Amino acid sequence: MNKTHCIIIEDEKAAQEILTSFLSRTEWIVLAGTFDDAISALEFLKRNEVDLVFLDIQIPGLNGIEFLKIIKNPPQIIITSAYSEYTLEAFELDVRDYLMKPFAFERYLKAVNKITPRPELSQIHQMTGSQNPSSSFAFFNVNKRMVRVQFSEILYVESMREYISINTGKEKVITKMGIGEIEKALGEGFVRVHRSFIANVAKVTAYSAEEVFIEKISLPIGPNYKRFVEITFGKQLE
């Protein structure tokens, strides 16, 4: 199994030490850095590949919710907070879990077991022969059989917790992968419209302030993804 690389964004030293201790007992997770504030963490994330972030809400400069709203292609996030009032908003921003301080090792372990490991080369093999999206494709592990999916044929991708469903109109390819991982693999030409949905821009036939349509298929627009839809289609939604 590939190692999961994580960082901690936490300004309380005691909380940092507890998480570090828990991580030392979890062999498949590697701690890549610890940060007292979100700005320093953002700079680190620009230069380094990270799979998981343990994120406190009340941190200096930029709080955890603001951090989630501005980061592009975020890693998987586990919130660690003493405040419960941010729970609903945090899950709307697609966090994997919300740990209420103080939390025991057993609760921490339950949270990290929700994390989708970085795919092995045997699980996904992406080939992009040119900048033309029609030449981009990937092989996905479906019940131990590698299934080829042409990116240009994808209508939309739907998150199913630890799995994703890749919908082409002809078939649904279901594989174990996080939606954030497939979002990075697809790249330009696709837009995240909701924490659970990614749409192929070329397949979109209509949209409103609340929905994106691909022929008769309707995908909801999440409030925190509305701006991405506006940027993609060049018109403010009202």
Side-chain angles (χ1 to χ4, degrees):
M1 173 188 287
N2 282 349
K3 297 286 187 179
T4 294
H5 292 77
C6 78
I7 63 171
I8 297 170
I9 309 177
E10 170 66 72
D11 64 329
E12 296 179 10
K13 295 300 180 184
Q16 290 179 5
E17 291 172 1
I18 290 170
L19 264 176
T20 301
S21 173
F22 288 174
L23 287 164
S24 69
R25 298 164 62 184
T26 318
E27 294 183 357
W28 57 277
I29 303 180
V30 177
L31 180 59
T34 302
F35 302 89
D36 296 326
D37 64 275
I39 301 298
S40 300
L42 282 172
E43 290 301 316
F44 181 85
L45 290 170
K46 289 179 183 177
R47 304 186 304 271
N48 299 274
E49 188 169 357
V50 172
D51 308 298
L52 169 64
V53 175
F54 291 94
L55 176 66
D56 188 16
I57 298 290
Q58 299 291 347
I59 45 179
L62 190 71
N63 70 38
I65 296 297
E66 292 169 336
F67 171 88
L68 289 173
K69 288 180 177 179
I70 68 169
I71 188 172
K72 294 182 178 179
N73 298 321
Q76 298 174 87
I77 306 287
I78 294 177
I79 296 291
T80 61
S81 178
Y83 303 92
S84 61
E85 58 263 37
Y86 302 102
T87 306
L88 183 60
E89 187 172 10
F91 277 110
E92 186 64 33
L93 291 165
D94 206 22
V95 302
R96 300 296 283 162
D97 208 338
Y98 197 106
L99 294 177
M100 285 292 298
K101 299 176 184 176
F103 50 87
F105 179 73
E106 289 75 18
R107 180 65 184 89
Y108 151 86
L109 201 58
K110 181 179 180 180
V112 297
N113 280 332
K114 297 179 181 180
I115 298 304
T116 307
R118 186 183 304 175
E120 303 273 1
L121 287 177
S122 60
Q123 292 179 297
I124 173 173
H125 178 60
Q126 181 181 355
M127 299 180 63
T128 50
S130 70
Q131 296 302 312
N132 185 351
S134 65
S135 66
S136 299
F137 61 90
F139 288 95
F140 294 90
N141 190 339
V142 180
N143 296 325
K144 299 182 180 180
R145 183 169 63 95
M146 303 308 294
V147 177
R148 173 172 168 153
V149 176
Q150 198 80 27
F151 289 178
S152 61
E153 296 178 355
I154 296 174
L155 301 180
Y156 67 95
V157 178
E158 180 179 1
S159 172
M160 302 169 64
R161 294 187 179 272
E162 291 87 2
Y163 292 80
I164 56 169
S165 174
I166 304 170
N167 299 270
T168 66
K170 299 177 182 177
E171 62 177 343
K172 289 184 179 181
V173 175
I174 297 175
T175 188
K176 189 169 186 179
M177 181 181 292
I179 194 167
E181 292 166 322
I182 188 64
E183 183 179 15
K184 291 177 183 178
L186 292 173
E188 296 182 5
F190 291 81
V191 59
R192 184 86 168 263
V193 299
H194 186 274
R195 63 175 180 161
S196 298
F197 293 98
I198 299 170
N200 184 342
V201 175
K203 302 292 186 180
V204 173
T205 53
Y207 67 96
S208 68
E210 298 180 349
E211 298 171 289
V212 166
F213 297 90
I214 299 174
E215 297 297 344
K216 295 181 179 180
I217 301 168
S218 169
L219 305 180
I221 298 176
N224 296 303
Y225 297 91
K226 186 176 179 180
R227 183 60 180 155
F228 296 121
V229 177
E230 291 177 336
I231 292 171
T232 300
F233 295 105
K235 184 174 178 59
Q236 186 172 355
L237 300 173
E238 298 178 356

PDB file of all heavy atoms in Angstrom, residues 38-60:
ATOM      1  N   ALA A  38      -2.746  28.666   8.781  1.00  0.00           N
ATOM      2  CA  ALA A  38      -3.137  28.156   7.468  1.00  0.00           C
ATOM      3  C   ALA A  38      -2.300  28.731   6.337  1.00  0.00           C
ATOM      4  O   ALA A  38      -2.085  28.063   5.316  1.00  0.00           O
ATOM      5  CB  ALA A  38      -4.614  28.456   7.228  1.00  0.00           C
ATOM      6  N   ILE A  39      -1.828  29.974   6.480  1.00  0.00           N
ATOM      7  CA  ILE A  39      -1.059  30.602   5.402  1.00  0.00           C
ATOM      8  C   ILE A  39       0.228  29.828   5.139  1.00  0.00           C
ATOM      9  O   ILE A  39       0.578  29.548   3.984  1.00  0.00           O
ATOM     10  CB  ILE A  39      -0.733  32.073   5.751  1.00  0.00           C
ATOM     11  CG1 ILE A  39      -2.019  32.877   5.985  1.00  0.00           C
ATOM     12  CG2 ILE A  39       0.104  32.701   4.646  1.00  0.00           C
ATOM     13  CD1 ILE A  39      -2.924  32.949   4.787  1.00  0.00           C
ATOM     14  N   SER A  40       0.936  29.460   6.211  1.00  0.00           N
ATOM     15  CA  SER A  40       2.168  28.676   6.052  1.00  0.00           C
ATOM     16  C   SER A  40       1.866  27.323   5.414  1.00  0.00           C
ATOM     17  O   SER A  40       2.620  26.832   4.576  1.00  0.00           O
ATOM     18  CB  SER A  40       2.840  28.473   7.405  1.00  0.00           C
ATOM     19  OG  SER A  40       3.174  29.708   7.996  1.00  0.00           O
ATOM     20  N   ALA A  41       0.746  26.730   5.815  1.00  0.00           N
ATOM     21  CA  ALA A  41       0.358  25.439   5.257  1.00  0.00           C
ATOM     22  C   ALA A  41       0.047  25.551   3.761  1.00  0.00           C
ATOM     23  O   ALA A  41       0.402  24.675   2.978  1.00  0.00           O
ATOM     24  CB  ALA A  41      -0.844  24.887   6.003  1.00  0.00           C
ATOM     25  N   LEU A  42      -0.626  26.626   3.354  1.00  0.00           N
ATOM     26  CA  LEU A  42      -0.942  26.827   1.938  1.00  0.00           C
ATOM     27  C   LEU A  42       0.323  26.912   1.103  1.00  0.00           C
ATOM     28  O   LEU A  42       0.383  26.353   0.003  1.00  0.00           O
ATOM     29  CB  LEU A  42      -1.773  28.107   1.765  1.00  0.00           C
ATOM     30  CG  LEU A  42      -3.256  28.014   2.107  1.00  0.00           C
ATOM     31  CD1 LEU A  42      -3.894  29.399   2.085  1.00  0.00           C
ATOM     32  CD2 LEU A  42      -3.991  27.093   1.146  1.00  0.00           C
ATOM     33  N   GLU A  43       1.328  27.606   1.601  1.00  0.00           N
ATOM     34  CA  GLU A  43       2.601  27.714   0.881  1.00  0.00           C
ATOM     35  C   GLU A  43       3.257  26.338   0.737  1.00  0.00           C
ATOM     36  O   GLU A  43       3.802  26.006  -0.313  1.00  0.00           O
ATOM     37  CB  GLU A  43       3.544  28.677   1.618  1.00  0.00           C
ATOM     38  CG  GLU A  43       3.110  30.127   1.544  1.00  0.00           C
ATOM     39  CD  GLU A  43       3.018  30.632   0.105  1.00  0.00           C
ATOM     40  OE1 GLU A  43       3.948  30.331  -0.685  1.00  0.00           O
ATOM     41  OE2 GLU A  43       2.024  31.282  -0.244  1.00  0.00           O
ATOM     42  N   PHE A  44       3.171  25.538   1.787  1.00  0.00           N
ATOM     43  CA  PHE A  44       3.730  24.177   1.741  1.00  0.00           C
ATOM     44  C   PHE A  44       2.993  23.327   0.718  1.00  0.00           C
ATOM     45  O   PHE A  44       3.609  22.572  -0.042  1.00  0.00           O
ATOM     46  CB  PHE A  44       3.638  23.554   3.134  1.00  0.00           C
ATOM     47  CG  PHE A  44       4.200  22.159   3.219  1.00  0.00           C
ATOM     48  CD1 PHE A  44       5.562  21.955   3.419  1.00  0.00           C
ATOM     49  CD2 PHE A  44       3.373  21.043   3.101  1.00  0.00           C
ATOM     50  CE1 PHE A  44       6.088  20.663   3.494  1.00  0.00           C
ATOM     51  CE2 PHE A  44       3.887  19.755   3.167  1.00  0.00           C
ATOM     52  CZ  PHE A  44       5.258  19.562   3.366  1.00  0.00           C
ATOM     53  N   LEU A  45       1.665  23.448   0.685  1.00  0.00           N
ATOM     54  CA  LEU A  45       0.861  22.638  -0.229  1.00  0.00           C
ATOM     55  C   LEU A  45       1.103  22.991  -1.693  1.00  0.00           C
ATOM     56  O   LEU A  45       0.895  22.160  -2.577  1.00  0.00           O
ATOM     57  CB  LEU A  45      -0.628  22.794   0.107  1.00  0.00           C
ATOM     58  CG  LEU A  45      -1.076  22.160   1.430  1.00  0.00           C
ATOM     59  CD1 LEU A  45      -2.501  22.582   1.770  1.00  0.00           C
ATOM     60  CD2 LEU A  45      -0.969  20.651   1.371  1.00  0.00           C
ATOM     61  N   LYS A  46       1.536  24.223  -1.959  1.00  0.00           N
ATOM     62  CA  LYS A  46       1.851  24.617  -3.331  1.00  0.00           C
ATOM     63  C   LYS A  46       3.069  23.867  -3.862  1.00  0.00           C
ATOM     64  O   LYS A  46       3.197  23.645  -5.063  1.00  0.00           O
ATOM     65  CB  LYS A  46       2.111  26.124  -3.402  1.00  0.00           C
ATOM     66  CG  LYS A  46       0.876  26.993  -3.217  1.00  0.00           C
ATOM     67  CD  LYS A  46       1.255  28.458  -3.270  1.00  0.00           C
ATOM     68  CE  LYS A  46       0.042  29.363  -3.023  1.00  0.00           C
ATOM     69  NZ  LYS A  46       0.423  30.793  -3.010  1.00  0.00           N
ATOM     70  N   ARG A  47       3.952  23.465  -2.960  1.00  0.00           N
ATOM     71  CA  ARG A  47       5.225  22.864  -3.359  1.00  0.00           C
ATOM     72  C   ARG A  47       5.310  21.363  -3.094  1.00  0.00           C
ATOM     73  O   ARG A  47       6.253  20.707  -3.545  1.00  0.00           O
ATOM     74  CB  ARG A  47       6.385  23.551  -2.623  1.00  0.00           C
ATOM     75  CG  ARG A  47       6.472  25.057  -2.811  1.00  0.00           C
ATOM     76  CD  ARG A  47       7.724  25.623  -2.172  1.00  0.00           C
ATOM     77  NE  ARG A  47       7.819  25.293  -0.752  1.00  0.00           N
ATOM     78  CZ  ARG A  47       7.301  26.039   0.215  1.00  0.00           C
ATOM     79  NH1 ARG A  47       6.653  27.150  -0.088  1.00  0.00           N
ATOM     80  NH2 ARG A  47       7.435  25.676   1.474  1.00  0.00           N
ATOM     81  N   ASN A  48       4.344  20.837  -2.358  1.00  0.00           N
ATOM     82  CA  ASN A  48       4.433  19.442  -1.947  1.00  0.00           C
ATOM     83  C   ASN A  48       3.093  18.730  -2.143  1.00  0.00           C
ATOM     84  O   ASN A  48       2.035  19.336  -1.991  1.00  0.00           O
ATOM     85  CB  ASN A  48       4.829  19.344  -0.468  1.00  0.00           C
ATOM     86  CG  ASN A  48       6.176  19.973  -0.178  1.00  0.00           C
ATOM     87  OD1 ASN A  48       7.216  19.339  -0.316  1.00  0.00           O
ATOM     88  ND2 ASN A  48       6.162  21.240   0.225  1.00  0.00           N
ATOM     89  N   GLU A  49       3.162  17.439  -2.460  1.00  0.00           N
ATOM     90  CA  GLU A  49       1.953  16.638  -2.635  1.00  0.00           C
ATOM     91  C   GLU A  49       1.553  16.031  -1.295  1.00  0.00           C
ATOM     92  O   GLU A  49       2.328  15.297  -0.678  1.00  0.00           O
ATOM     93  CB  GLU A  49       2.194  15.532  -3.670  1.00  0.00           C
ATOM     94  CG  GLU A  49       0.932  14.785  -4.038  1.00  0.00           C
ATOM     95  CD  GLU A  49       1.119  13.881  -5.231  1.00  0.00           C
ATOM     96  OE1 GLU A  49       2.218  13.877  -5.814  1.00  0.00           O
ATOM     97  OE2 GLU A  49       0.156  13.171  -5.583  1.00  0.00           O
ATOM     98  N   VAL A  50       0.352  16.349  -0.862  1.00  0.00           N
ATOM     99  CA  VAL A  50      -0.155  15.889   0.428  1.00  0.00           C
ATOM    100  C   VAL A  50      -1.515  15.235   0.211  1.00  0.00           C
ATOM    101  O   VAL A  50      -2.330  15.720  -0.562  1.00  0.00           O
ATOM    102  CB  VAL A  50      -0.277  17.065   1.428  1.00  0.00           C
ATOM    103  CG1 VAL A  50      -0.990  16.642   2.701  1.00  0.00           C
ATOM    104  CG2 VAL A  50       1.108  17.618   1.764  1.00  0.00           C
ATOM    105  N   ASP A  51      -1.758  14.132   0.910  1.00  0.00           N
ATOM    106  CA  ASP A  51      -3.004  13.379   0.740  1.00  0.00           C
ATOM    107  C   ASP A  51      -4.061  13.735   1.776  1.00  0.00           C
ATOM    108  O   ASP A  51      -5.252  13.568   1.518  1.00  0.00           O
ATOM    109  CB  ASP A  51      -2.723  11.877   0.835  1.00  0.00           C
ATOM    110  CG  ASP A  51      -1.612  11.437  -0.095  1.00  0.00           C
ATOM    111  OD1 ASP A  51      -1.788  11.595  -1.318  1.00  0.00           O
ATOM    112  OD2 ASP A  51      -0.580  10.952   0.383  1.00  0.00           O
ATOM    113  N   LEU A  52      -3.616  14.210   2.946  1.00  0.00           N
ATOM    114  CA  LEU A  52      -4.526  14.389   4.075  1.00  0.00           C
ATOM    115  C   LEU A  52      -4.098  15.574   4.917  1.00  0.00           C
ATOM    116  O   LEU A  52      -2.897  15.781   5.138  1.00  0.00           O
ATOM    117  CB  LEU A  52      -4.536  13.117   4.941  1.00  0.00           C
ATOM    118  CG  LEU A  52      -5.219  13.166   6.300  1.00  0.00           C
ATOM    119  CD1 LEU A  52      -6.715  13.423   6.155  1.00  0.00           C
ATOM    120  CD2 LEU A  52      -4.975  11.853   7.068  1.00  0.00           C
ATOM    121  N   VAL A  53      -5.087  16.356   5.373  1.00  0.00           N
ATOM    122  CA  VAL A  53      -4.823  17.485   6.271  1.00  0.00           C
ATOM    123  C   VAL A  53      -5.689  17.346   7.516  1.00  0.00           C
ATOM    124  O   VAL A  53      -6.904  17.161   7.417  1.00  0.00           O
ATOM    125  CB  VAL A  53      -5.135  18.842   5.586  1.00  0.00           C
ATOM    126  CG1 VAL A  53      -4.966  20.003   6.584  1.00  0.00           C
ATOM    127  CG2 VAL A  53      -4.229  19.054   4.380  1.00  0.00           C
ATOM    128  N   PHE A  54      -5.046  17.406   8.678  1.00  0.00           N
ATOM    129  CA  PHE A  54      -5.769  17.550   9.942  1.00  0.00           C
ATOM    130  C   PHE A  54      -5.881  19.045  10.203  1.00  0.00           C
ATOM    131  O   PHE A  54      -4.866  19.729  10.375  1.00  0.00           O
ATOM    132  CB  PHE A  54      -5.026  16.853  11.083  1.00  0.00           C
ATOM    133  CG  PHE A  54      -5.014  15.365  10.978  1.00  0.00           C
ATOM    134  CD1 PHE A  54      -3.954  14.701  10.382  1.00  0.00           C
ATOM    135  CD2 PHE A  54      -6.070  14.618  11.473  1.00  0.00           C
ATOM    136  CE1 PHE A  54      -3.939  13.315  10.284  1.00  0.00           C
ATOM    137  CE2 PHE A  54      -6.076  13.227  11.371  1.00  0.00           C
ATOM    138  CZ  PHE A  54      -5.006  12.578  10.787  1.00  0.00           C
ATOM    139  N   LEU A  55      -7.096  19.572  10.216  1.00  0.00           N
ATOM    140  CA  LEU A  55      -7.302  21.016  10.203  1.00  0.00           C
ATOM    141  C   LEU A  55      -8.117  21.480  11.401  1.00  0.00           C
ATOM    142  O   LEU A  55      -9.266  21.057  11.581  1.00  0.00           O
ATOM    143  CB  LEU A  55      -8.020  21.400   8.902  1.00  0.00           C
ATOM    144  CG  LEU A  55      -8.429  22.860   8.726  1.00  0.00           C
ATOM    145  CD1 LEU A  55      -7.190  23.766   8.632  1.00  0.00           C
ATOM    146  CD2 LEU A  55      -9.291  23.015   7.471  1.00  0.00           C
ATOM    147  N   ASP A  56      -7.534  22.374  12.197  1.00  0.00           N
ATOM    148  CA  ASP A  56      -8.276  23.023  13.275  1.00  0.00           C
ATOM    149  C   ASP A  56      -9.081  24.170  12.681  1.00  0.00           C
ATOM    150  O   ASP A  56      -8.737  24.709  11.620  1.00  0.00           O
ATOM    151  CB  ASP A  56      -7.295  23.538  14.332  1.00  0.00           C
ATOM    152  CG  ASP A  56      -7.999  24.050  15.583  1.00  0.00           C
ATOM    153  OD1 ASP A  56      -9.194  23.735  15.775  1.00  0.00           O
ATOM    154  OD2 ASP A  56      -7.360  24.776  16.368  1.00  0.00           O
ATOM    155  N   ILE A  57     -10.170  24.565  13.345  1.00  0.00           N
ATOM    156  CA  ILE A  57     -10.992  25.675  12.868  1.00  0.00           C
ATOM    157  C   ILE A  57     -10.446  27.014  13.339  1.00  0.00           C
ATOM    158  O   ILE A  57     -10.224  27.935  12.554  1.00  0.00           O
ATOM    159  CB  ILE A  57     -12.462  25.520  13.332  1.00  0.00           C
ATOM    160  CG1 ILE A  57     -13.086  24.244  12.751  1.00  0.00           C
ATOM    161  CG2 ILE A  57     -13.281  26.742  12.926  1.00  0.00           C
ATOM    162  CD1 ILE A  57     -13.332  24.269  11.280  1.00  0.00           C
ATOM    163  N   GLN A  58     -10.221  27.127  14.638  1.00  0.00           N
ATOM    164  CA  GLN A  58      -9.767  28.386  15.226  1.00  0.00           C
ATOM    165  C   GLN A  58      -8.247  28.460  15.171  1.00  0.00           C
ATOM    166  O   GLN A  58      -7.543  28.036  16.072  1.00  0.00           O
ATOM    167  CB  GLN A  58     -10.262  28.498  16.675  1.00  0.00           C
ATOM    168  CG  GLN A  58     -11.767  28.485  16.821  1.00  0.00           C
ATOM    169  CD  GLN A  58     -12.421  29.749  16.257  1.00  0.00           C
ATOM    170  OE1 GLN A  58     -11.763  30.731  15.964  1.00  0.00           O
ATOM    171  NE2 GLN A  58     -13.730  29.716  16.100  1.00  0.00           N
ATOM    172  N   ILE A  59      -7.721  29.001  14.058  1.00  0.00           N
ATOM    173  CA  ILE A  59      -6.286  29.171  13.872  1.00  0.00           C
ATOM    174  C   ILE A  59      -6.014  30.601  13.429  1.00  0.00           C
ATOM    175  O   ILE A  59      -6.884  31.262  12.861  1.00  0.00           O
ATOM    176  CB  ILE A  59      -5.726  28.168  12.841  1.00  0.00           C
ATOM    177  CG1 ILE A  59      -6.624  28.092  11.596  1.00  0.00           C
ATOM    178  CG2 ILE A  59      -5.538  26.804  13.447  1.00  0.00           C
ATOM    179  CD1 ILE A  59      -6.135  27.144  10.534  1.00  0.00           C
ATOM    180  N   PRO A  60      -4.815  31.118  13.684  1.00  0.00           N
ATOM    181  CA  PRO A  60      -4.519  32.527  13.398  1.00  0.00           C
ATOM    182  C   PRO A  60      -4.566  32.864  11.906  1.00  0.00           C
ATOM    183  O   PRO A  60      -4.273  32.026  11.057  1.00  0.00           O
ATOM    184  CB  PRO A  60      -3.086  32.697  13.933  1.00  0.00           C
ATOM    185  CG  PRO A  60      -2.877  31.569  14.881  1.00  0.00           C
ATOM    186  CD  PRO A  60      -3.704  30.441  14.357  1.00  0.00           C
TER     187      PRO A  60
END
